[in-house]
Amino acid sequence: MTNTRNAIRTVAGSFLLAAVLVVPDTALAQDAMRGQSVQAGARLFRTKGCLGCHPIGAEGVGPDLRSVEGGRSFYGLAAAMWNHLPRMRAAMEERGVPVPGLDAWEAGDLVAFLFWLGYFDEPGDTARGASLFQSKSCVACHQVRGVGGVLGPDLDVHASGSPIMVASAMWNHLPAMLEAHSAQGLRRSQVTGDELRDIVAYIEGGSSLLPRGSLVVMPGRSGRGRQVFETKGCIQCHAVRSIGGTVGPDLGVTGRYATMLDFAAALWNKAPGMLALMQRRGIEPVELGPEDMADLVAFLYAGRYFGDAGTVAAGRRVAQSSRCQGCHAGAAAVGGDLGRVRGIDSPAAVVAALWNHVLNDEAQGALPTLSSKDIADVSAYLQQVGGSQ
């Protein structure tokens, strides 16, 4: 059985490697508001030289990024990258490989590609997902690879494992799905975030083909998320830290959900009550695109609705601690004053800035080890002083 798994892994890795190698250099960059391009990220993975040390599905100087442990979140990726910068630079210099720089746009595309490789979350179980797809009655309305009902769209055609996009799609289709359930007399099941992860894994079916479109995987902008919260009418029923409506729960409560898929599952589970209440109050359901959802979640992160959110106050403490002040104490310091940083206006820009430390010869001392929580906090702080919040 182990040999079979290894053979499947090798074949899948070959497909992935081929996909990276044949992505054309003319792959279109995407508008930052529309998500990140997996195709552009795959091209960068090759042209920036990442493939030379991190081959996909094979042994190399660096690890296969599909199997790295401990980077199971966006900020986990950023922390792993930061903590390995000195070792990576040394390995690149030893091999005579030039160290490439990254701008925010490129960082966003590389993040999308690494997400697509499965770096960001524990993979779902496709066998459990297939069973859940049946037992939760999804198969009554939806097809996957030609099997299932036709009332709803074919899910494998529209599949995307991005939790932000899953949450957006589930919210937008809730009214139609509830109506179909009622009309067909179908039993409506509750789901958990873990079950949803398995269902998504089954829908995707382990495809090795690059997505044609762009994915929304990066954390959004909390400033715009506040606007979404108000203009989409969420504030009529929900408050964030006591500002807003009192019909629904305060979404500023700390640590309500651990992941985006937990949040998406909660939207599904609470949908009948929410939509009935909206109907009684004369509120029309509104659509939330993936970008809207990303920004809204970023706003809820700032309100601590998700347990692993970064905060400005904690980020300021990290930036002003001895770990950072050795290089960033005052405007005349080697690394400059972090309190005066500009141009760090998005999580992608933070990733680019962290990576570009590898280019700075004066910053090659013993870098402080940072956790994913440290990175999340520093990111929140830098985005504030950079002017985005």
Side-chain angles (χ1 to χ4, degrees):
M1 189 68 174
T2 301
N3 290 337
T4 301
R5 287 197 195 98
N6 290 337
I8 292 173
R9 180 181 177 89
T10 300
V11 172
S14 299
F15 277 116
L16 288 170
L17 179 58
V20 173
L21 292 175
V22 301
V23 170
D25 288 347
T26 54
L28 296 177
Q30 82 294 343
D31 186 290
M33 285 292 293
R34 296 178 55 199
Q36 294 78 48
S37 169
V38 175
Q39 294 94 332
R43 175 173 57 86
L44 287 166
F45 195 78
R46 171 170 54 86
T47 60
K48 294 286 186 179
C50 311
L51 195 60
C53 293
H54 298 281
I56 300 169
E59 293 185 2
V61 176
D64 181 345
L65 295 183
R66 295 176 304 155
S67 59
V68 173
E69 298 297 330
R72 300 303 188 180
S73 69
F74 168 77
Y75 291 117
L77 165 68
M81 180 191 69
W82 168 264
N83 293 329
H84 284 83
L85 280 179
R87 190 185 309 171
M88 282 194 289
R89 172 161 176 154
M92 295 170 81
E93 288 180 342
E94 183 178 343
R95 290 164 61 89
V97 177
V99 182
L102 285 178
D103 60 31
W105 200 292
E106 291 171 333
D109 289 337
L110 275 174
V111 163
F113 177 63
L114 293 175
F115 173 87
W116 176 74
L117 286 178
Y119 190 84
F120 284 92
D121 205 353
E122 295 292 345
D125 185 294
T126 55
R128 283 199 305 264
S131 177
L132 288 165
F133 194 77
Q134 294 280 343
S135 64
K136 301 289 185 181
S137 300
C138 311
V139 71
C141 296
H142 298 284
Q143 288 192 8
V144 171
R145 291 176 285 283
V147 178
V150 295
L151 291 176
D154 295 355
L155 294 185
D156 49 351
V157 174
H158 303 277
S160 168
S162 163
I164 290 171
M165 298 177 81
V166 170
S168 172
M170 291 187 72
W171 170 259
N172 292 332
H173 290 289
L174 279 174
M177 284 194 288
L178 292 178
E179 184 177 339
H181 272 76
S182 177
Q184 299 296 316
L186 297 173
R187 179 175 63 89
R188 189 177 181 281
S189 301
Q190 302 274 293
V191 296
T192 66
D194 287 341
E195 289 173 335
L196 189 55
R197 180 177 293 108
D198 291 337
I199 291 171
V200 169
Y202 165 65
I203 291 171
E204 292 190 318
S207 172
S208 295
L209 298 176
L210 274 74
R212 297 178 188 174
S214 57
L215 296 180
V216 175
V217 298
M218 298 286 286
R221 297 156 297 170
S222 65
R224 185 175 180 275
R226 179 188 293 275
Q227 297 174 11
V228 172
F229 186 76
E230 295 174 355
T231 59
K232 297 291 186 178
C234 312
I235 198 171
Q236 296 184 46
C237 295
H238 296 282
V240 171
R241 287 170 293 184
S242 302
I243 300 176
T246 57
V247 177
D250 188 323
L251 303 186
V253 175
T254 300
R256 182 175 289 271
Y257 297 113
T259 69
M260 269 296 300
L261 287 177
D262 288 336
F263 182 54
L267 289 178
W268 168 255
N269 295 334
K270 297 179 180 181
M274 283 195 296
L275 293 176
L277 181 60
M278 292 170 70
Q279 186 176 28
R280 289 198 300 271
R281 294 171 64 88
I283 302 173
E284 289 292 327
V286 295
E287 288 205 352
L288 292 171
E291 303 83 13
D292 294 328
M293 184 65 74
D295 292 336
L296 178 61
V297 168
F299 172 58
L300 297 179
Y301 266 135
R304 300 297 291 168
Y305 192 60
F306 289 76
D308 57 353
T311 66
V312 173
R316 183 182 293 108
R317 287 194 294 271
V318 173
Q320 294 176 351
S321 70
S322 58
R323 288 184 290 171
C324 298
Q325 287 300 294
C327 292
H328 297 284
V334 171
D337 186 349
L338 289 180
R340 301 188 181 191
V341 69
R342 292 297 179 268
I344 308 294
D345 59 354
S346 70
V350 172
V351 168
L354 292 175
W355 170 260
N356 289 332
H357 259 69
V358 79
L359 300 176
N360 187 348
D361 290 327
E362 295 179 332
Q364 293 309 310
L367 296 178
T369 299
L370 298 177
S371 67
S372 60
K373 182 63 168 61
D374 291 332
I375 296 290
D377 291 332
V378 170
S379 179
Y381 170 64
L382 293 179
Q383 286 181 75
Q384 185 194 59
V385 298
S388 71
Q389 298 183 16

